[in-house]
């Protein structure tokens, strides 16, 4: 693709770095981050739209999708 010919593909992801998660990182914080990487992003912005804020997804319809997913998962696990 040439510049300006496609959609905005800018992406920003921010992870919180907590002392406990990186307790053994004495000399190389990047290596520690790669080995003990964060479980979830604190902030994710794609194309100017926030998808994760303060560690929680902010997607329209997420509550309904999770409710449906939970019902399907229960049925599958109960063999119904």
């Amino acid at each position: 693709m040439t510049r300006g010919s496609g959609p905005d593909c800018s992406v920003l992801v921010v992870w919180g770095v907590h002392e406990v998660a990186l307790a053994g990182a004495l000399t190389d914080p990047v290596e520690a981050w790669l080995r003990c990487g964060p479980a979830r992003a604190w902030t994710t912005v794609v194309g100017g739209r926030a998808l994760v804020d303060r560690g929680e997804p902010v997607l329209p319809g997420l509550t309904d999708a999770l409710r449906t997913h939970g019902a399907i998962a229960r049925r599958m696990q109960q063999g119904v």
Side-chain angles (χ1 to χ4, degrees):
M1 287 178 92
T2 60
R3 250 180 132 178
S5 66
D8 181 8
C9 293
S10 59
V11 176
L12 168 70
V13 179
V14 178
W15 288 277
V17 178
H18 304 284
E19 291 178 11
V20 173
L22 302 175
L26 303 176
T27 60
D28 190 346
V30 174
E31 179 185 7
W33 183 83
L34 291 171
R35 291 180 185 266
C36 311
R40 64 182 187 185
W42 181 250
T43 302
T44 301
V45 178
V46 177
R49 181 173 168 228
L51 300 179
V52 177
D53 184 29
R54 296 186 185 110
E56 297 297 325
V58 286
L59 303 168
L62 179 61
T63 301
D64 292 334
L66 290 174
R67 188 178 305 113
T68 300
H69 178 274
I72 293 167
R74 274 190 295 284
R75 283 197 309 266
M76 289 174 68
Q77 292 176 32
Q78 293 170 351
V80 177

